[in-house]
């Protein structure tokens, strides 16, 4: 990748200076990147996370990219995206990041789909090592109310998940053992959601305001949210920009700025917005569909 980059038309002397200025061990002094995949995916799928890891490594030679594997194998990792308690997943990741000497000086984080809200939980709960920028690519920060096209697995599994969510998303059994139930947000039953949502209601300060969550999230330099304008997987798609249905119905939508969370600034998002720390990006494709040119133009600047 380095050979490719040096083929740019740079004057030989400048090129020599640039090469000499590069720190030792092939590192370019860039912050490491931690990535968390979405539902039905795994850390190392060569067509998804593996390809993105490779692309980032080509664009930023010497960068350390850690694509999180939840479990001991790729198969386990994929299953855990459906069935492992999210709070357990988050604490496992926090331990892994704290043990990694390469992350000591801080890191950037990029979450894809549900990995977006999981990495936000890491930012809020685990300030050490420090997360610098959080990039949420199609993450559902106010949860979902529907799974119109659940990706990555057979339609039979999706159908089974849908039935569980519709019949009892907030029963203890379903909450504990079905990942998607833990960010299921029923606007017709807000009280039920607030009381029984094991994960999302907690990180969104629905029950009480945890001051450390607020302080830790505000320590981010940038919180970047990517919304896919043709998204056929996330319902409502507004959740990708931290918006949601107005309470009590499932037709009209509120933006983040119209929500109680923002107006009461329960999570520090209003303060972050005023400080220019929130970045709202749109991509014209379906869920997680973007090309390299779009990625390089829109997301790469936050990783350099």
């Amino acid at each position: 990748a380095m050979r490719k980059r040096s083929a740019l038309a740079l004057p030989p002397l400048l090129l020599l200076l640039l090469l000499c200025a590069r720190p030792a061990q092939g590192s370019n002094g860039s912050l490491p990147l931690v990535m968390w995949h979405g539902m039905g995916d795994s850390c190392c799928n060569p067509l998804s996370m593996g390809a993105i890891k490779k692309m980032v490594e080509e664009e930023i030679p010497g960068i350390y990219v850690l694509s999180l594997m939840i479990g001991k194998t790729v198969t386990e990792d994929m299953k855990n995206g459906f069935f492992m308690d999210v709070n357990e997943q988050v604490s496992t990741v926090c331990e892994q990041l704290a043990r990694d000497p390469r992350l000591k000086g801080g890191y950037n984080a990029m979450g894809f789909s549900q990995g977006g809200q999981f990495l936000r939980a890491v930012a809020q709960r685990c300030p050490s090592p420090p997360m610098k920028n959080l990039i949420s690519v199609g993450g559902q920060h106010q949860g979902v109310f529907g799974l119109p096209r659940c990706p990555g697995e057979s339609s039979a599994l999706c159908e089974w998940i849908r039935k569980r969510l519709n019949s009892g998303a907030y029963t203890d059994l379903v909450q504990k053992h079905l990942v998607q139930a833990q960010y299921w947000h029923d606007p017709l039953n807000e009280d039920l959601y607030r009381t029984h949502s094991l994960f999302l209601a907690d990180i969104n300060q629905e029950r009480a305001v945890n001051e450390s969550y607020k302080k830790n999230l505000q320590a981010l330099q940038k919180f970047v949210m990517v919304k896919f304008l043709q998204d056929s997987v996330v319902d409502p798609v507004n959740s990708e920009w931290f918006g949601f249905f107005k309470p009590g119905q499932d037709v009209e939508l509120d933006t983040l700025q119209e929500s109680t969370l923002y107006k009461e600034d329960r999570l520090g998002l209003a303060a972050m917005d005023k400080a220019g720390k929130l970045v709202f990006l749109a991509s014209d494709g379906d869920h997680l569909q973007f090309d390299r040119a779009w990625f390089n133009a829109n997301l790469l600047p936050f990783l350099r």
Side-chain angles (χ1 to χ4, degrees):
M2 277 179 72
R3 207 171 292 127
K4 248 187 265 168
R5 291 185 71 78
S6 64
L8 296 171
L10 288 170
L13 183 62
L14 179 58
L15 184 59
L16 189 65
L17 286 170
L18 285 173
L19 290 171
C20 294
R22 215 174 260 288
Q25 296 153 350
S27 161
N28 60 353
S30 58
L31 277 178
L33 173 63
V34 173
M35 304 195 303
W36 198 330
H37 63 79
M39 164 172 79
D41 201 358
S42 71
C43 62
C44 313
N45 181 337
L47 300 175
S48 58
M49 301 307 286
I52 291 167
K53 179 178 192 284
K54 195 169 160 227
M55 182 167 82
V56 172
E57 288 166 347
E58 282 172 10
E59 295 293 338
I60 309 174
I63 190 174
Y64 169 50
V65 181
L66 171 63
S67 185
L68 294 166
M69 184 195 281
I70 313 300
K72 292 188 171 61
T73 64
V74 167
T75 312
E76 221 178 282
D77 184 23
M78 196 171 80
K79 278 189 186 151
N80 285 336
F82 289 104
F83 303 117
M84 182 181 177
D85 182 327
V86 180
N87 291 317
E88 270 176 51
Q89 292 193 48
V90 170
S91 59
T92 307
V93 165
C94 286
E95 283 164 27
Q96 188 185 341
L97 301 185
R99 279 197 311 265
D100 191 331
R102 287 164 293 190
L103 301 178
K104 271 199 173 67
Y107 64 96
N108 290 319
M110 188 180 290
F112 295 83
S113 200
Q114 67 186 23
Q117 56 267 33
F118 300 171
L119 277 170
R120 176 163 64 84
V122 171
Q124 290 174 207
R125 291 175 179 172
C126 311
S128 177
M131 187 187 290
K132 304 293 188 182
N133 292 319
L134 170 58
I135 301 169
S136 163
V137 186
Q140 305 100 36
H141 294 282
Q142 277 289 8
V144 297
F145 187 50
L147 276 181
R149 211 168 48 73
C150 135
E153 274 287 329
S154 70
S155 56
L157 177 61
C158 288
E159 213 34 62
W160 182 85
I161 288 173
R162 240 183 240 113
K163 281 195 176 115
R164 295 294 165 285
L165 292 171
N166 288 329
S167 66
Y170 299 119
T171 59
D172 290 346
L173 191 68
V174 175
Q175 275 292 310
K176 201 85 181 132
H177 299 290
L178 187 57
V179 163
Q180 290 68 35
Q182 292 172 50
Y183 57 85
W184 185 258
H185 185 169
D186 184 344
L188 311 175
N189 289 292
E190 288 281 353
D191 287 347
L192 208 57
Y193 158 70
R194 273 192 198 101
T195 317
H196 295 287
S197 166
L198 281 181
F199 172 69
L200 194 71
D202 174 65
I203 64 163
N204 282 1
Q205 309 278 44
E206 295 282 7
R207 288 190 277 271
V209 173
N210 177 330
E211 289 299 336
S212 71
Y213 282 5
K214 201 169 167 174
K215 177 171 160 274
N216 294 342
L217 192 65
Q218 286 179 279
L220 287 173
Q221 289 165 8
K222 296 281 183 202
F223 176 13
V224 181
M225 288 170 260
V226 178
K227 171 173 151 184
F228 290 92
L229 299 177
Q230 314 300 322
D231 204 310
S232 64
V233 174
V234 174
D235 190 20
V237 72
N238 244 29
S239 186
E240 296 176 3
W241 275 359
F242 231 123
F244 203 63
F245 294 115
K246 291 178 189 290
Q249 48 83 60
D250 60 359
V251 181
E252 289 179 50
L253 294 158
D254 270 342
T255 62
L256 166 63
Q257 287 77 2
E258 291 166 325
S259 68
T260 308
L261 178 73
Y262 187 95
K263 286 176 178 164
E264 295 180 358
D265 208 11
R266 299 172 71 86
L267 196 49
L269 290 167
M272 290 175 78
D273 202 9
K274 288 183 181 74
K277 290 184 169 192
L278 300 187
V279 180
F280 299 91
L281 298 178
S283 173
D284 205 30
D286 197 350
H287 193 61
L288 302 188
Q289 300 301 306
F290 54 84
D291 61 21
R292 185 168 185 153
W294 184 91
F295 184 94
N296 288 356
N298 292 281
L299 302 185
L300 210 61
F302 296 103
L303 304 180
R304 290 204 184 278

